[in-house]
Amino acid sequence: MATIQVLLDESGAILGTTQGPDSASGESAPAQVGLVAGPGQQVVEVEVADAVLEGSPAELHTHLRTNLLG
């Protein structure tokens, strides 16, 4: 399972997703990766099966809308 962040607008539409790197290293590696919600938006964290992340972004968004976000 993987934990991802999902950025939603005020109507619940998915605006974007992100998953932090398992391990970042090196001088320019970010300490943390994440989404920031703007006015009327929210960020939620959800767990998805690793296999779901192997598909296209469109397939991921369809899976999230159908199975996780109602």
Side-chain angles (χ1 to χ4, degrees):
M1 296 291 276
T3 300
I4 63 171
Q5 291 182 327
V6 183
L7 179 62
L8 304 170
D9 69 11
E10 56 193 18
S11 69
I14 298 170
L15 301 175
T17 61
T18 189
Q19 177 186 10
D22 290 334
S23 61
S25 62
E27 188 174 311
S28 63
Q32 185 175 7
V33 175
L35 295 172
V36 177
Q41 299 173 341
Q42 66 175 330
V43 175
V44 296
E45 286 192 353
V46 296
E47 284 192 359
V48 296
D50 292 331
V52 173
L53 298 177
E54 295 173 4
S56 71
E59 292 170 331
L60 172 61
H61 287 203
T62 297
H63 173 81
L64 291 171
R65 281 192 303 274
T66 303
N67 298 302
L68 302 175
L69 301 175

